[in-house]
Amino acid sequence: MTTDPARPFGRVLTAMVTPFAEDGSIDLAGAQELAAHLVDRQAHDGLVVLGTTGEAPTLGDGEQSAVLEAVLDAVGDRAVVVAGVGTNDTAHTIDNARRAERLGAHGLLVVTPYYNKPPQAGLLRHFTSVADSTDLPVMLYDIPPRSVVPIEVETLVRAAEHPRIVAVKDAKGDFGALAWTLARTDLAYYCGEDMINLPMLASGAVGVVSVVGHLVGPRLAELIAAVESGDLAKAREVNESLLPVYTGIFRTQGVILAKAALREMGLPAGPVRPPLVDATPEQIAQLRTDLADGGISL
């Protein structure tokens, strides 16, 4: 499997949910079935597992290893599999990264350490320490709504000097910072917030790490292709058709309604783990309406 250096993790990736059985245990067969569905029927060239939408904070290390290994066995020969390894503990993150490399992951997603509120010097040391610990390419995950601390442009410029820090998943939505980072580095940007896929792609992002990609992978591929070809009228048309889907999935925490939609479609998902709670009947009814407005029938 080869990748384009300009988009080291592909174009369309989904932050994949972790399917659970009804008793809350990991559904490994379901994870494999869902991964294959996304790659073979939803136009994905990559998957991010064990991220926010994968409920990684509620998975033990052994469970994370089992999920990653299952997904790699299912699709690792035909899709880029990126392992979310980030925590707010640098030593633990390094352990996760090394374990992911041993299992065969193709890349690492490393989120800004949350809760600790480290200064920028601490972020840089964290990211470079993790990147030093394996030979895998690293995608930084900049999501201040969850981690509080944004990765500042100067920190990204310094981080980009590391040969294995090659990409950013941006859920910050600061287009000035994006422009300056793209002007000063070779980092590949991936949009990590579905509602701003179009403006971020138009600003120079090379792909998306999506939640709605569970449902609309081919349309995201169409959106990216339209932007790349310079057909912004087509890109706006595709994006407008997706707005009800973006809104519908994020009326509450994205994984809750993504799992609800997958369950309604007969795909593996199962419940969420506490402290999250499953969608209510009223939320599912609203989701049906939203997705229908976006061209998806549950």
Side-chain angles (χ1 to χ4, degrees):
M1 181 175 55
T2 59
T3 57
D4 179 352
R7 46 176 56 84
F9 302 107
R11 280 182 173 83
V12 179
L13 299 91
T14 276
M16 197 181 97
V17 304
T18 301
F20 297 135
E22 290 305 314
D23 65 0
S25 61
I26 299 288
D27 178 5
L28 293 178
Q32 291 188 313
E33 180 184 343
L34 180 59
H37 170 80
L38 294 174
V39 172
D40 299 334
R41 302 185 63 183
Q42 284 289 328
H44 289 63
D45 43 17
L47 297 173
V48 174
V49 297
L50 307 175
T52 305
T53 310
E55 299 177 77
T58 62
L59 272 63
D61 289 349
E63 291 179 318
Q64 292 193 22
S65 294
V67 171
L68 177 58
E69 193 166 22
V71 172
L72 284 164
D73 286 346
V75 300
D77 60 339
R78 59 191 188 279
V80 177
V81 178
V82 180
V85 298
T87 73
N88 65 340
D89 173 359
T90 301
H92 189 189
T93 304
I94 288 171
D95 287 343
N96 287 348
R98 288 172 172 163
R99 185 173 65 251
E101 183 178 42
R102 288 195 301 271
L103 292 173
H106 304 133
L108 306 174
L109 178 71
V110 182
V111 71
T112 308
Y114 40 84
Y115 184 75
N116 302 355
K117 295 182 70 174
Q120 294 297 306
L123 295 187
L124 183 62
R125 180 178 295 181
H126 177 82
F127 293 139
T128 55
S129 296
V130 177
D132 283 340
S133 69
T134 80
D135 291 325
L136 295 177
V138 171
M139 178 189 293
L140 305 182
Y141 188 8
D142 192 3
I143 182 167
R146 292 181 182 275
S147 66
V148 180
V149 180
I151 312 175
E152 295 179 0
V153 172
E154 291 300 326
T155 305
L156 288 165
V157 170
R158 292 282 306 281
E161 296 171 1
H162 196 291
R164 286 185 291 283
I165 296 177
V166 298
V168 177
K169 177 186 176 185
D170 188 304
K172 181 167 58 182
D174 182 338
F175 287 91
L178 167 65
W180 271 114
T181 305
L182 289 175
R184 297 179 61 191
T185 75
D186 293 325
L187 291 169
Y189 260 71
Y190 289 81
C191 182
E193 185 177 350
D194 279 307
M195 186 59 82
I196 58 173
N197 280 336
L198 174 55
M200 191 165 287
L201 290 165
S203 297
V206 300
V208 298
V209 178
S210 174
V211 177
V212 303
H214 284 94
L215 310 175
V216 292
R219 288 158 71 184
L220 292 176
E222 185 181 14
L223 174 64
I224 294 168
V227 173
E228 289 184 342
S229 69
D231 190 348
L232 292 184
K234 177 64 174 178
R236 287 194 297 270
E237 178 186 336
V238 175
N239 190 65
E240 286 175 11
S241 78
L242 289 168
L243 292 177
V245 183
Y246 297 156
T247 295
I249 290 294
F250 289 101
R251 287 188 184 274
T252 184
Q253 221 274 19
V255 62
I256 293 173
L257 292 177
K259 280 193 162 184
L262 291 169
R263 288 195 301 270
E264 292 292 306
M265 298 171 73
L267 290 165
V272 295
R273 280 186 175 176
L276 300 182
V277 293
D278 289 317
T280 65
E282 293 77 14
Q283 287 173 321
I284 293 173
Q286 179 64 60
L287 179 63
R288 285 178 171 275
T289 299
D290 291 330
L291 295 186
D293 288 345
I296 300 171
S297 178
L298 294 184

